[in-house]
Amino acid sequence: MRKRIIEGIAGLGLLAVLPACHTQKQAIPSADLYALAAGPVEIVSEQGAQSPAKTQGRSILIPQLQVDAQSVYNKMITYINPDEELLPTVSVAKLAAYIDFPAGSVQVNPKYGNNRVELAKLDGQLKPLLQSGNGKIKKIRITGYASPDGNTKANEQLAGNRAIQFKNYLQKQFHLPNDGLITVDWVGEDWEGLQRLIAGSDKKYSSRVLSIFQLTDDPDSRRKQIKAIDNGAVYKDIEKSFFSRLRRMELAVETESETVSVNDPQLIEKVYNQPDKVSLQDFFRVAALYRPGTEQYREIYEIAAYTYPACKVAQLNAAAAALSQGDKESARYFFQQVNGDPRAYNNLGVLSLMDGDKENAAGYFRKYLPQNPRIARENLNYLE
């Protein structure tokens, strides 16, 4: 008797082959060898079909070998290692302080003009960055700006000296080291800023002033022509309406994120309850706690994929995790978010195989060869 049961991997992949029976000799499981001594046997299949070589005595049931298709698919699935994404990230917070100075003065006086309010606002913005437990300050860049009134060269020198004094003020106020942490630069007269303010205003003279900006780049020529409009009335209004909004110190505060301990239960709870407050790097770190193919791994990457739709690593691993759970439709959705990414080819091949399309699966595995030849060839061998 020759019994052959075959079901492809696309179904419940199993293969059990019984040896051809040309004589009365049968291959009997070792567990039943002892039974042969007790008397003749009868070979039957699981369905009870009796063999032609029937003899009297007990029957031996030959079990068929079952292979779970999903376990085979899971061996074929690949995941993306987000090592590069786990590097510390640098974020930049941009702050501005509109500091008032007496004419010709460069010293920061907290009591002068509106400085008390401006410095208090800056304190509230800068102090949390300096005291953050989740990162460290890498650099603070100060850029000084002046309004375009007076002399251009003098305004440039004034802006530079005021920026230097503002740096000194910050170092003293926040106990910052003088080791290059704070750098200083200055623009001088902020004509570009003035142009933006006038263009965004509803002033009747806007078009006439903006035409002067188009005609010349020379600051002294611009100033002279603007002063000539309506016998200086327009320039006086510009001075009153816009100049105070141009005199400022801009700060760019760079902070580098630190690794957060994934053993922190609050972080794991936040992943599920407040995912919008979890960084992409922390998502990856939490996911690394679980083995790929587990339901927990899938949950973390699905939340990450929905929270950061532009992150291809999150989308690719969410698709792979969905495949590992047999959820083809979810996998299709995440694959659509990274359409054309060559890193998806292997798992798209697995998806095609799950759909029963071996030809399409083979095509994807061949396209995946440049990414990982070994895995691509192994999966092509599964098809054969």
Side-chain angles (χ1 to χ4, degrees), residues 11 37 57 69 75 83 96 105 118 137 169 181 209 222 224 251-252 256 258-259 266 305 323 328 332 354 356 378:
K75 292 179 181 179
D83 283 343
S105 175
E118 283 295 308
I137 298 293
Y169 169 82
L181 176 69
V209 174
R222 283 178 174 177
K224 182 178 180 180
L251 288 80
E256 182 179 82
E258 292 181 345
T259 301
Q266 292 183 349
L323 285 179
K328 297 189 293 183
R332 281 187 235 278
M354 294 173 74
E378 286 179 358

PDB file of all heavy atoms in Angstrom, residues 11 37 57 69 75 83 96 105 118 137 169 181 209 222 224 251-252 256 258-259 266 305 323 328 332 354 356 378:
ATOM      1  N   GLY A  11      -1.925  25.958   2.345  1.00  0.00           N
ATOM      2  CA  GLY A  11      -3.043  25.479   3.155  1.00  0.00           C
ATOM      3  C   GLY A  11      -2.537  25.136   4.520  1.00  0.00           C
ATOM      4  O   GLY A  11      -1.991  25.964   5.205  1.00  0.00           O
ATOM      5  N   ALA A  37       4.950  -9.497  18.110  1.00  0.00           N
ATOM      6  CA  ALA A  37       5.232 -10.798  18.713  1.00  0.00           C
ATOM      7  C   ALA A  37       3.969 -11.439  19.256  1.00  0.00           C
ATOM      8  O   ALA A  37       3.898 -12.648  19.438  1.00  0.00           O
ATOM      9  CB  ALA A  37       6.268 -10.661  19.824  1.00  0.00           C
ATOM     10  N   GLY A  57      -6.293 -10.211  13.838  1.00  0.00           N
ATOM     11  CA  GLY A  57      -5.544  -9.690  14.973  1.00  0.00           C
ATOM     12  C   GLY A  57      -5.842  -8.222  15.211  1.00  0.00           C
ATOM     13  O   GLY A  57      -6.814  -7.666  14.687  1.00  0.00           O
ATOM     14  N   ALA A  69       0.853  25.629   9.039  1.00  0.00           N
ATOM     15  CA  ALA A  69       1.333  26.542   8.005  1.00  0.00           C
ATOM     16  C   ALA A  69       1.816  27.859   8.586  1.00  0.00           C
ATOM     17  O   ALA A  69       2.822  28.409   8.140  1.00  0.00           O
ATOM     18  CB  ALA A  69       0.217  26.791   6.987  1.00  0.00           C
ATOM     19  N   LYS A  75       8.592  31.646  10.074  1.00  0.00           N
ATOM     20  CA  LYS A  75      10.031  31.476   9.862  1.00  0.00           C
ATOM     21  C   LYS A  75      10.513  32.258   8.641  1.00  0.00           C
ATOM     22  O   LYS A  75      11.696  32.545   8.514  1.00  0.00           O
ATOM     23  CB  LYS A  75      10.356  29.998   9.678  1.00  0.00           C
ATOM     24  CG  LYS A  75      10.151  29.162  10.937  1.00  0.00           C
ATOM     25  CD  LYS A  75      10.463  27.698  10.668  1.00  0.00           C
ATOM     26  CE  LYS A  75      10.230  26.852  11.916  1.00  0.00           C
ATOM     27  NZ  LYS A  75      10.497  25.419  11.671  1.00  0.00           N
ATOM     28  N   ASP A  83      18.105  50.011  14.732  1.00  0.00           N
ATOM     29  CA  ASP A  83      19.300  50.493  15.438  1.00  0.00           C
ATOM     30  C   ASP A  83      19.563  51.964  15.175  1.00  0.00           C
ATOM     31  O   ASP A  83      19.867  52.742  16.084  1.00  0.00           O
ATOM     32  CB  ASP A  83      20.530  49.673  15.038  1.00  0.00           C
ATOM     33  CG  ASP A  83      20.550  48.317  15.729  1.00  0.00           C
ATOM     34  OD1 ASP A  83      19.812  48.167  16.717  1.00  0.00           O
ATOM     35  OD2 ASP A  83      21.275  47.428  15.278  1.00  0.00           O
ATOM     36  N   ALA A  96      12.432  83.490  21.705  1.00  0.00           N
ATOM     37  CA  ALA A  96      12.741  84.887  21.361  1.00  0.00           C
ATOM     38  C   ALA A  96      12.475  85.775  22.566  1.00  0.00           C
ATOM     39  O   ALA A  96      11.495  85.575  23.294  1.00  0.00           O
ATOM     40  CB  ALA A  96      11.912  85.349  20.165  1.00  0.00           C
ATOM     41  N   SER A 105      22.822 101.934  24.554  1.00  0.00           N
ATOM     42  CA  SER A 105      23.246 101.054  25.644  1.00  0.00           C
ATOM     43  C   SER A 105      23.272  99.595  25.181  1.00  0.00           C
ATOM     44  O   SER A 105      22.526  99.197  24.288  1.00  0.00           O
ATOM     45  CB  SER A 105      22.305 101.186  26.834  1.00  0.00           C
ATOM     46  OG  SER A 105      22.641 100.262  27.851  1.00  0.00           O
ATOM     47  N   GLU A 118       9.417  90.262  29.620  1.00  0.00           N
ATOM     48  CA  GLU A 118      10.088  89.441  28.612  1.00  0.00           C
ATOM     49  C   GLU A 118      11.050  88.439  29.235  1.00  0.00           C
ATOM     50  O   GLU A 118      11.101  87.274  28.823  1.00  0.00           O
ATOM     51  CB  GLU A 118      10.850  90.335  27.627  1.00  0.00           C
ATOM     52  CG  GLU A 118       9.976  91.014  26.604  1.00  0.00           C
ATOM     53  CD  GLU A 118       9.318  90.009  25.670  1.00  0.00           C
ATOM     54  OE1 GLU A 118      10.034  89.173  25.096  1.00  0.00           O
ATOM     55  OE2 GLU A 118       8.089  90.068  25.519  1.00  0.00           O
ATOM     56  N   ILE A 137      21.285  69.683  27.476  1.00  0.00           N
ATOM     57  CA  ILE A 137      21.523  70.799  26.565  1.00  0.00           C
ATOM     58  C   ILE A 137      22.854  70.576  25.844  1.00  0.00           C
ATOM     59  O   ILE A 137      23.882  70.328  26.469  1.00  0.00           O
ATOM     60  CB  ILE A 137      21.560  72.125  27.337  1.00  0.00           C
ATOM     61  CG1 ILE A 137      20.223  72.386  28.027  1.00  0.00           C
ATOM     62  CG2 ILE A 137      21.897  73.271  26.393  1.00  0.00           C
ATOM     63  CD1 ILE A 137      19.071  72.636  27.090  1.00  0.00           C
ATOM     64  N   TYR A 169      24.475  87.741  30.506  1.00  0.00           N
ATOM     65  CA  TYR A 169      23.315  87.746  31.411  1.00  0.00           C
ATOM     66  C   TYR A 169      22.800  86.319  31.621  1.00  0.00           C
ATOM     67  O   TYR A 169      22.521  85.906  32.758  1.00  0.00           O
ATOM     68  CB  TYR A 169      22.214  88.645  30.844  1.00  0.00           C
ATOM     69  CG  TYR A 169      20.890  88.499  31.568  1.00  0.00           C
ATOM     70  CD1 TYR A 169      20.648  89.184  32.757  1.00  0.00           C
ATOM     71  CD2 TYR A 169      19.886  87.659  31.075  1.00  0.00           C
ATOM     72  CE1 TYR A 169      19.447  89.036  33.441  1.00  0.00           C
ATOM     73  CE2 TYR A 169      18.693  87.503  31.739  1.00  0.00           C
ATOM     74  CZ  TYR A 169      18.470  88.195  32.921  1.00  0.00           C
ATOM     75  OH  TYR A 169      17.282  88.047  33.605  1.00  0.00           O
ATOM     76  N   LEU A 181      29.288  76.394  25.408  1.00  0.00           N
ATOM     77  CA  LEU A 181      27.895  75.960  25.352  1.00  0.00           C
ATOM     78  C   LEU A 181      27.029  76.993  24.648  1.00  0.00           C
ATOM     79  O   LEU A 181      26.142  76.652  23.861  1.00  0.00           O
ATOM     80  CB  LEU A 181      27.368  75.719  26.770  1.00  0.00           C
ATOM     81  CG  LEU A 181      25.884  75.349  26.885  1.00  0.00           C
ATOM     82  CD1 LEU A 181      25.631  73.971  26.309  1.00  0.00           C
ATOM     83  CD2 LEU A 181      25.410  75.429  28.335  1.00  0.00           C
ATOM     84  N   VAL A 209       5.810 100.873   0.024  1.00  0.00           N
ATOM     85  CA  VAL A 209       7.036 100.545   0.744  1.00  0.00           C
ATOM     86  C   VAL A 209       7.641  99.256   0.198  1.00  0.00           C
ATOM     87  O   VAL A 209       8.864  99.167  -0.013  1.00  0.00           O
ATOM     88  CB  VAL A 209       6.761 100.416   2.251  1.00  0.00           C
ATOM     89  CG1 VAL A 209       8.017  99.923   2.982  1.00  0.00           C
ATOM     90  CG2 VAL A 209       6.317 101.762   2.821  1.00  0.00           C
ATOM     91  N   ARG A 222      17.178 102.405   0.908  1.00  0.00           N
ATOM     92  CA  ARG A 222      15.811 102.060   1.310  1.00  0.00           C
ATOM     93  C   ARG A 222      15.298 103.045   2.367  1.00  0.00           C
ATOM     94  O   ARG A 222      14.184 103.556   2.266  1.00  0.00           O
ATOM     95  CB  ARG A 222      15.776 100.637   1.892  1.00  0.00           C
ATOM     96  CG  ARG A 222      15.823  99.524   0.871  1.00  0.00           C
ATOM     97  CD  ARG A 222      15.834  98.179   1.566  1.00  0.00           C
ATOM     98  NE  ARG A 222      15.740  97.068   0.631  1.00  0.00           N
ATOM     99  CZ  ARG A 222      15.784  95.786   0.991  1.00  0.00           C
ATOM    100  NH1 ARG A 222      15.961  95.470   2.269  1.00  0.00           N
ATOM    101  NH2 ARG A 222      15.678  94.838   0.070  1.00  0.00           N
ATOM    102  N   LYS A 224      16.266 106.045   3.047  1.00  0.00           N
ATOM    103  CA  LYS A 224      16.076 107.389   2.494  1.00  0.00           C
ATOM    104  C   LYS A 224      14.779 107.491   1.697  1.00  0.00           C
ATOM    105  O   LYS A 224      14.031 108.469   1.828  1.00  0.00           O
ATOM    106  CB  LYS A 224      17.275 107.744   1.612  1.00  0.00           C
ATOM    107  CG  LYS A 224      17.224 109.137   1.026  1.00  0.00           C
ATOM    108  CD  LYS A 224      18.479 109.424   0.206  1.00  0.00           C
ATOM    109  CE  LYS A 224      18.436 110.824  -0.388  1.00  0.00           C
ATOM    110  NZ  LYS A 224      19.656 111.119  -1.204  1.00  0.00           N
ATOM    111  N   LEU A 251      16.919  82.698  20.414  1.00  0.00           N
ATOM    112  CA  LEU A 251      17.685  81.608  20.991  1.00  0.00           C
ATOM    113  C   LEU A 251      17.272  80.297  20.315  1.00  0.00           C
ATOM    114  O   LEU A 251      16.079  80.031  20.156  1.00  0.00           O
ATOM    115  CB  LEU A 251      17.441  81.483  22.491  1.00  0.00           C
ATOM    116  CG  LEU A 251      18.035  82.558  23.404  1.00  0.00           C
ATOM    117  CD1 LEU A 251      17.166  83.805  23.399  1.00  0.00           C
ATOM    118  CD2 LEU A 251      18.158  82.023  24.825  1.00  0.00           C
ATOM    119  N   ALA A 252      18.259  79.494  19.916  1.00  0.00           N
ATOM    120  CA  ALA A 252      18.019  78.145  19.423  1.00  0.00           C
ATOM    121  C   ALA A 252      18.665  77.200  20.426  1.00  0.00           C
ATOM    122  O   ALA A 252      19.898  77.138  20.522  1.00  0.00           O
ATOM    123  CB  ALA A 252      18.613  77.959  18.032  1.00  0.00           C
ATOM    124  N   GLU A 256      19.625  67.014  23.495  1.00  0.00           N
ATOM    125  CA  GLU A 256      19.808  65.641  23.029  1.00  0.00           C
ATOM    126  C   GLU A 256      19.084  64.709  23.974  1.00  0.00           C
ATOM    127  O   GLU A 256      19.294  64.745  25.181  1.00  0.00           O
ATOM    128  CB  GLU A 256      21.293  65.281  22.982  1.00  0.00           C
ATOM    129  CG  GLU A 256      21.567  63.882  22.450  1.00  0.00           C
ATOM    130  CD  GLU A 256      23.052  63.585  22.410  1.00  0.00           C
ATOM    131  OE1 GLU A 256      23.599  63.210  23.472  1.00  0.00           O
ATOM    132  OE2 GLU A 256      23.662  63.740  21.345  1.00  0.00           O
ATOM    133  N   GLU A 258      17.993  61.482  26.054  1.00  0.00           N
ATOM    134  CA  GLU A 258      18.706  60.403  26.707  1.00  0.00           C
ATOM    135  C   GLU A 258      17.866  59.132  26.633  1.00  0.00           C
ATOM    136  O   GLU A 258      16.654  59.176  26.472  1.00  0.00           O
ATOM    137  CB  GLU A 258      18.981  60.749  28.181  1.00  0.00           C
ATOM    138  CG  GLU A 258      19.978  61.891  28.357  1.00  0.00           C
ATOM    139  CD  GLU A 258      20.229  62.191  29.821  1.00  0.00           C
ATOM    140  OE1 GLU A 258      19.440  61.721  30.655  1.00  0.00           O
ATOM    141  OE2 GLU A 258      21.204  62.885  30.124  1.00  0.00           O
ATOM    142  N   THR A 259      18.532  57.996  26.757  1.00  0.00           N
ATOM    143  CA  THR A 259      17.822  56.730  26.747  1.00  0.00           C
ATOM    144  C   THR A 259      16.944  56.622  27.986  1.00  0.00           C
ATOM    145  O   THR A 259      17.404  56.802  29.107  1.00  0.00           O
ATOM    146  CB  THR A 259      18.808  55.553  26.728  1.00  0.00           C
ATOM    147  OG1 THR A 259      19.630  55.673  25.573  1.00  0.00           O
ATOM    148  CG2 THR A 259      18.072  54.230  26.700  1.00  0.00           C
ATOM    149  N   GLN A 266       5.844  53.353  33.977  1.00  0.00           N
ATOM    150  CA  GLN A 266       5.103  54.524  33.512  1.00  0.00           C
ATOM    151  C   GLN A 266       5.254  54.710  32.011  1.00  0.00           C
ATOM    152  O   GLN A 266       4.315  55.144  31.339  1.00  0.00           O
ATOM    153  CB  GLN A 266       5.586  55.777  34.247  1.00  0.00           C
ATOM    154  CG  GLN A 266       5.227  55.786  35.727  1.00  0.00           C
ATOM    155  CD  GLN A 266       5.651  57.071  36.404  1.00  0.00           C
ATOM    156  OE1 GLN A 266       6.387  57.879  35.850  1.00  0.00           O
ATOM    157  NE2 GLN A 266       5.191  57.271  37.631  1.00  0.00           N
ATOM    158  N   ALA A 305       2.971  52.737  14.592  1.00  0.00           N
ATOM    159  CA  ALA A 305       2.680  53.015  13.184  1.00  0.00           C
ATOM    160  C   ALA A 305       1.554  54.031  13.039  1.00  0.00           C
ATOM    161  O   ALA A 305       1.604  54.907  12.171  1.00  0.00           O
ATOM    162  CB  ALA A 305       2.319  51.725  12.456  1.00  0.00           C
ATOM    163  N   LEU A 323       1.352  39.907   9.891  1.00  0.00           N
ATOM    164  CA  LEU A 323       1.492  38.631   9.173  1.00  0.00           C
ATOM    165  C   LEU A 323       1.744  37.485  10.143  1.00  0.00           C
ATOM    166  O   LEU A 323       1.217  36.382   9.966  1.00  0.00           O
ATOM    167  CB  LEU A 323       2.651  38.714   8.176  1.00  0.00           C
ATOM    168  CG  LEU A 323       2.440  39.510   6.893  1.00  0.00           C
ATOM    169  CD1 LEU A 323       3.709  39.480   6.052  1.00  0.00           C
ATOM    170  CD2 LEU A 323       1.268  38.962   6.090  1.00  0.00           C
ATOM    171  N   LYS A 328      -3.904  39.195   7.501  1.00  0.00           N
ATOM    172  CA  LYS A 328      -3.449  39.651   6.189  1.00  0.00           C
ATOM    173  C   LYS A 328      -3.955  41.052   5.854  1.00  0.00           C
ATOM    174  O   LYS A 328      -3.242  41.841   5.226  1.00  0.00           O
ATOM    175  CB  LYS A 328      -3.894  38.664   5.109  1.00  0.00           C
ATOM    176  CG  LYS A 328      -3.299  37.278   5.254  1.00  0.00           C
ATOM    177  CD  LYS A 328      -3.604  36.419   4.039  1.00  0.00           C
ATOM    178  CE  LYS A 328      -5.094  36.118   3.943  1.00  0.00           C
ATOM    179  NZ  LYS A 328      -5.393  35.217   2.805  1.00  0.00           N
ATOM    180  N   ARG A 332      -1.738  44.319   4.803  1.00  0.00           N
ATOM    181  CA  ARG A 332      -1.898  45.052   3.544  1.00  0.00           C
ATOM    182  C   ARG A 332      -1.967  46.555   3.792  1.00  0.00           C
ATOM    183  O   ARG A 332      -1.375  47.356   3.054  1.00  0.00           O
ATOM    184  CB  ARG A 332      -3.170  44.595   2.830  1.00  0.00           C
ATOM    185  CG  ARG A 332      -3.041  43.305   2.083  1.00  0.00           C
ATOM    186  CD  ARG A 332      -4.309  43.042   1.279  1.00  0.00           C
ATOM    187  NE  ARG A 332      -4.862  41.747   1.599  1.00  0.00           N
ATOM    188  CZ  ARG A 332      -4.442  40.604   1.080  1.00  0.00           C
ATOM    189  NH1 ARG A 332      -3.445  40.624   0.215  1.00  0.00           N
ATOM    190  NH2 ARG A 332      -4.990  39.460   1.421  1.00  0.00           N
ATOM    191  N   MET A 354       0.618  33.375   1.439  1.00  0.00           N
ATOM    192  CA  MET A 354      -0.560  33.153   2.272  1.00  0.00           C
ATOM    193  C   MET A 354      -1.835  33.252   1.446  1.00  0.00           C
ATOM    194  O   MET A 354      -2.838  32.593   1.753  1.00  0.00           O
ATOM    195  CB  MET A 354      -0.581  34.152   3.429  1.00  0.00           C
ATOM    196  CG  MET A 354       0.557  33.972   4.422  1.00  0.00           C
ATOM    197  SD  MET A 354       0.644  35.278   5.682  1.00  0.00           S
ATOM    198  CE  MET A 354      -0.757  34.840   6.714  1.00  0.00           C
ATOM    199  N   GLY A 356      -1.973  32.196  -1.528  1.00  0.00           N
ATOM    200  CA  GLY A 356      -1.949  31.082  -2.467  1.00  0.00           C
ATOM    201  C   GLY A 356      -1.344  31.419  -3.812  1.00  0.00           C
ATOM    202  O   GLY A 356      -1.391  30.607  -4.743  1.00  0.00           O
ATOM    203  N   GLU A 378      16.478  31.143   0.834  1.00  0.00           N
ATOM    204  CA  GLU A 378      15.809  30.190   1.712  1.00  0.00           C
ATOM    205  C   GLU A 378      14.303  30.157   1.438  1.00  0.00           C
ATOM    206  O   GLU A 378      13.695  29.087   1.371  1.00  0.00           O
ATOM    207  CB  GLU A 378      16.069  30.542   3.174  1.00  0.00           C
ATOM    208  CG  GLU A 378      17.467  30.210   3.659  1.00  0.00           C
ATOM    209  CD  GLU A 378      17.685  30.603   5.109  1.00  0.00           C
ATOM    210  OE1 GLU A 378      16.740  31.173   5.702  1.00  0.00           O
ATOM    211  OE2 GLU A 378      18.777  30.338   5.647  1.00  0.00           O
TER     212      GLU A 378
END
